[in-house]
Amino acid sequence: MNEARPTGGADGTPSAVLQLRSISKAYRKGQPAEVHVLKGVDLSVARGETIGLVAPSGAGKSTLLHIAGLLDSPDDGQVIINGRELVGAPDHQRTVVRCHEVGFVYQLHHLIQEMTALENVVLPQRAAGSRRGPAEAWARELLERTGLGDRKNHRPAELSGGEQQRVAFCRALANRPSLLLADEPTGNLDPATSDSVIAVLMELVREIGVSVVLATHDRTLSERLSRRIRLKAGRLVDGSNLS
């Protein structure tokens, strides 16, 4: 395996938070057929940019996000986060980057049911080495900013769906990542709750300065982001004129 190596401008500054270069991925379904989900995908995400990745279910959005977030590996291509190429990096280095530089939000919140909202947001910070006092203070601040200050001691089963997803956003942002990846984060919410959750998220990511790639099949949601792209037949195309 190769150590991750920096890439970027002549002064060493990373040219983007995330760069995907010629990403390809296929899954074998029976012998000998293969399903080519991603075909030479290229994507560059600037600092502070918010991108809507639009495609129908089954088009490969989750696969692309999992590769971008180092949860899966491509068959071919490069994943560069903050100037470091990570496809060939050792597992421990990929884990460190996932922990400190990438936040991930799923359609299902995946909160730990035995923990309170506060404890769920503290957990990733403690895993990253933060001391308990500062971790709890930042978790309380995040929950306050998302309207959950009075719900911090409630467990997930005591929260509504929208409240649970807001806790999940707080958890994903707890380590102040430079990149947030969200996979259909409002897919299980009604439209009104979805709007309120996304409004809170967008205000928070602007304050923190996080780059966002949000996968959705909801065009209205994608229009709230700074740029739209579409995944079609395994390739990314401009999503400005979706049909």
Side-chain angles (χ1 to χ4, degrees):
M1 273 184 205
N2 298 318
E3 285 288 339
R5 56 188 181 277
T7 65
D11 62 356
T13 302
S15 55
V17 170
L18 171 68
Q19 296 175 76
L20 303 179
R21 296 179 178 172
S22 302
I23 296 294
S24 295
K25 184 73 173 181
Y27 293 105
R28 187 172 295 278
K29 293 189 175 182
Q31 297 290 338
E34 280 188 337
V35 176
H36 292 270
V37 180
L38 303 174
K39 305 173 183 177
V41 168
D42 293 304
L43 175 64
S44 181
V45 182
R47 295 191 178 280
E49 187 174 25
T50 58
I51 295 178
L53 172 60
V54 182
S57 298
K61 298 189 303 294
S62 295
T63 298
L64 183 59
L65 288 188
H66 286 177
I67 290 172
L70 307 178
L71 298 171
D72 196 1
S73 296
D75 296 331
D76 194 20
Q78 293 180 301
V79 178
I80 301 167
I81 296 177
N82 290 320
R84 305 194 73 82
E85 205 291 306
L86 292 155
V87 169
D91 287 343
H92 75 271
Q93 190 168 8
R94 290 164 59 90
T95 298
V96 168
V97 171
R98 279 198 303 269
C99 182
H100 291 273
E101 300 180 45
V102 180
F104 212 110
V105 180
Y106 301 88
Q107 181 173 342
L108 299 176
H109 51 76
H110 295 304
L111 299 176
I112 297 177
Q113 296 297 311
E114 294 77 19
M115 290 185 169
T116 65
L118 182 69
E119 290 167 338
N120 268 282
V121 182
V122 166
L123 183 62
Q125 299 179 73
R126 296 286 286 160
S130 295
R131 291 183 292 113
R132 179 173 296 279
E136 289 185 350
W138 178 231
R140 284 193 294 270
E141 182 176 343
L142 285 171
L143 292 170
E144 287 282 354
R145 290 189 188 186
T146 54
L148 295 172
D150 61 346
R151 309 288 280 167
K152 62 180 179 293
N153 293 320
H154 289 69
R155 289 181 170 80
E158 302 170 307
L159 303 173
S160 69
E163 290 171 334
Q164 291 177 59
Q165 199 62 311
R166 277 185 275 167
V167 175
F169 280 126
C170 291
R171 181 183 59 186
L173 294 170
N175 285 331
R176 296 177 175 87
S178 53
L179 175 66
L180 177 67
L181 303 172
D183 190 4
E184 296 281 5
T186 62
N188 286 330
L189 305 178
D190 63 78
T193 303
S194 172
D195 286 346
S196 67
V197 167
I198 291 300
V200 167
L201 170 66
M202 297 312 298
E203 181 178 351
L204 195 56
V205 298
R206 280 193 294 268
E207 289 181 19
I208 298 175
V210 183
S211 300
V212 178
V213 180
L214 190 154
T216 182
H217 63 271
D218 184 342
R219 288 179 54 182
T220 301
L221 171 55
S222 72
E223 288 170 354
R224 303 181 68 164
L225 308 176
S226 58
R227 178 158 63 104
R228 289 188 294 166
I229 53 177
R230 178 172 49 170
L231 188 60
K232 181 178 181 181
R235 301 183 187 276
L236 285 182
V237 297
D238 179 18
S240 299
N241 298 305
L242 294 174
S243 58

